[in-house]
Amino acid sequence: MDWRAGMKRFAELCRLLDRAEPGSEVAALLSSYLSSCNSEDAAWSIYLLVPQSRNRYLSTQRLKKACLEVTGIPDWLYSECMDETGDASETIALLLPNPDDREPEDAPLAVWMNERLPTLTSGPIDDALIRLKEFWVQVDSDSRMTLNKLVTGTRPAKVSVQDLARGLSALCGTISPVLEARLSSPFSPTPEWYGLLKSPATLEELAEANRRLVSPSEKQEFTAVLMYAERGSSGDLVLFTFGVWHEKILVSTAKVPWVRDREVELAIEAFVRENTLEKRGPIRVVPPKVVVRLEFEGVIIAPKRKAGIELLQPTVAEWLIDADPIEASTLQWLKGLIAG
Amino acid sequence: MTNRGLFCPAGDFYIDPWRSVDRAVVTHAHSDHARPGMRNYLCSAEGETVLRLRVGAKSAIQALEYGEVVEMNGVKLSLHPAGHILGSSQVRVELNGEVIVVSGDYKTEADSTCTPFEPVKCHTFITESTFGLPIYTWAKEGAVFSQVNDWWRNNQAEGFASVLYGYSLGKSQRALAGLDPGIGPIFEHETLRPYTNAYRSAGIQLPKTKTIGRAKEDFDWATAMILAPPGSMTSAWRAHIGPMRTAFMSGWMAVRKGSRGRGGQFGFVVSDHVDWPSLMSAIAATEAERVLVTHGFSKTVVRYLRETGLEAYELGSEWTGEQE
């Protein structure tokens, strides 16, 4: 694979990740990409791909405003395009005119992230929008969607920590459970951190990884039903709310930002798009039809929550396509776990 | 607009009717426009062979050269190239000096597999709007097929057969014309064969192809490009051919949601319809006073045209014309 420089290269990676099979195909793409990256770009790439909150330089509304100014498209027509794509970064990227055949002035990803994007948050907003429009011309049309995602703080591609760790492991030889643990703690995207990330495992880390491998049963699971999905400012669905039964009604119990398998996530997103009963602001209410197996790390008492409990680190492990919603767990059963 | 299709009462003929009628003017041979069972057909001379493949070899078909005028009950009718597929036509109808043009499906960018689109001046233009949103803007054809050829080379290097899915009539022949036969052998699915042959007999230059059933038992498919209609790669074919990568060709591939919805993980943006900028320039080139919009994002296009000061209607809902 020929990986060109900078933003273009990162955008190409994101495009390939978007249609790759999660698992070994994604891991192979990542390791091929990272192997030919300098440490600064590698650190930033990983930082931008892992599931975590990231810096928002401009809101989607601002990007839309700038896009309408550039294209002269009326607001209502933008909304129709948005309905068609379901993604603001993509809509804006598709609407912007294609720069004439000149070569884009790309720069390493680290330059974009350390120097260029931060200029969007300083000075008057009108100046920031002028700089944004310059950025749009600097990158080629294929990279604009990724640039928009980075500007609005949206994840440019959905990759699991497991696949990222596998890809890195192929590169540096450190076993992937250790890399997974390293990627799961907060970090700054610097070359120094990237160096440490790839360093050989310490005895403590190996012992910890081994402990987790031996006792995978720490994770607990239950069956729940999708009640709501929440749209982020980018247009992506960012949070799924699942409920369990309590006296014959569903009570919202787990807010889940993270579906383990991307295919399942896409399928759930499609379900929400096609079955929305009601929109309450960013919340999409759906019929109680999607039954999933949720994994979580623990459960604590939370009196302010409707359910009275809070689940730690809930993840959608599986969509139980054939399950009847009536088979979902009960709140009583979940509460029983606390006592136990 | 009637329940049999678009009808011209003065000339007593239908355009692309979907129920049996006496006289059917057919814009092109795709199955949603050309249906069997009409008493008499009229189409372009360029499109006659492919139309016969669709509606039956013995059908009564009158073929017109592009620009040739026939009179039907005082109505002057002529066909003009639409650039969509081989033989595709716009229909120009003139009565008492009033000119109406029905675009059929069309594309303004020229390609080597059919006569390029020609704008026709008229008072009323009836246009399709399949991709009538400004997010649909196509790259130049050459750029797209160079991506396709790169994909083929890359698959070959990694040991995968390349399967390119597209409609059997039109899209596949256009893909064939864009492929570089220097890369490797090109195969086509059996269903494409008659159409590809019709293109060749119309004088369209296309690279050599074999049908996939004709390959030798020990053939190394990893070098090959296979053109096939969507859904045709059955498990039996997959087992026969071995490791393969597949890609769809469609205008819908321009949007990520569109490519997911069509079951393909991957595709190329190849469309035989106008994109948004060409739609707008095609409408302007007709100098029409009134535009009727059909097939696709009609409502959106109508609203946009009205905002630019044109008289525009959605055909079929707002503009029903004669009822039967």
Side-chain angles (χ1 to χ4, degrees), chain B residues 82-129:
Chain B
H84 176 63
I85 62 167
L86 184 69
S88 61
S89 310
Q90 308 174 71
V91 183
R92 182 186 186 277
V93 178
E94 182 179 344
L95 178 66
N96 303 327
E98 184 75 15
V99 179
I100 300 176
V101 169
V102 179
S103 74
D105 290 347
Y106 69 109
K107 159 173 82 40
T108 56
E109 195 195 5
D111 76 80
S112 67
T113 61
C114 61
T115 306
F117 174 87
E118 280 171 19
V120 183
K121 294 207 175 15
C122 56
H123 299 98
T124 302
F125 185 47
I126 303 183
T127 181
E128 62 131 323
S129 59

Side-chain angles (χ1 to χ4, degrees), chain B residues 133-181:
Chain B
L133 280 179
I135 48 172
Y136 293 111
T137 306
W138 316 140
K140 292 246 180 308
E141 176 170 276
V144 178
F145 283 112
S146 95
Q147 285 173 19
V148 175
N149 285 319
D150 286 347
W151 175 71
W152 182 10
R153 274 188 211 99
N154 189 53
N155 292 342
Q156 211 175 47
E158 293 175 11
F160 290 88
S162 304
V163 179
L164 200 50
Y165 289 127
Y167 287 131
S168 349
L169 168 59
K171 196 72 69 72
S172 293
Q173 289 72 31
R174 203 170 139 211
L176 184 53
L179 290 173
D180 175 0

Side-chain angles (χ1 to χ4, degrees), chain A residues 18-19 21 73-74 76-77 80-81 83-85 87 90 94-95 145 149 266 273, chain B residues 133-137 154 252 254-257 260 265-266 276 297 300 303-304 307:
Chain A
D18 196 41
R19 59 182 186 234
E21 287 289 328
I73 282 171
W76 67 266
L77 188 52
E80 304 220 345
C81 295
D83 286 347
E84 180 75 354
T85 67
D87 183 297
E90 186 177 13
L94 289 169
L95 286 175
M145 180 174 75
K149 289 198 180 278
L266 291 176
R273 257 198 318 272
Chain B
L133 280 179
I135 48 172
Y136 293 111
T137 306
N154 189 53
W252 303 113
V255 167
R256 290 186 304 160
K257 193 181 104 183
R260 283 172 193 156
Q265 296 161 11
F266 180 56
W276 175 269
F297 292 97
T300 310
R303 181 168 172 191
Y304 187 80
E307 287 187 5

Side-chain angles (χ1 to χ4, degrees), chain B residues 287-299:
Chain B
E287 296 175 16
E289 296 151 6
R290 182 201 283 153
V291 181
L292 308 185
V293 187
T294 180
H295 281 115
F297 292 97
S298 339
K299 204 173 160 189

Side-chain angles (χ1 to χ4, degrees), chain B residues 177-248:
Chain B
L179 290 173
D180 175 0
I183 300 173
I186 303 172
F187 286 82
E188 60 183 348
H189 190 271
E190 271 71 5
T191 51
L192 269 56
R193 192 96 191 142
Y195 299 115
T196 307
N197 286 343
Y199 270 63
R200 289 203 177 96
S201 62
I204 310 294
Q205 294 296 316
L206 296 173
K208 272 193 175 157
T209 48
K210 290 181 211 162
T211 46
I212 43 180
R214 293 280 179 86
K216 285 193 181 119
E217 199 57 41
D218 59 347
F219 182 73
D220 176 15
W221 288 98
T223 59
M225 167 61 79
I226 300 162
L227 293 166
S232 62
M233 279 298 118
T234 56
S235 48
W237 276 123
R238 284 174 180 275
H240 179 67
I241 292 168
M244 61 169 74
R245 291 212 175 111
T246 58
F248 276 84

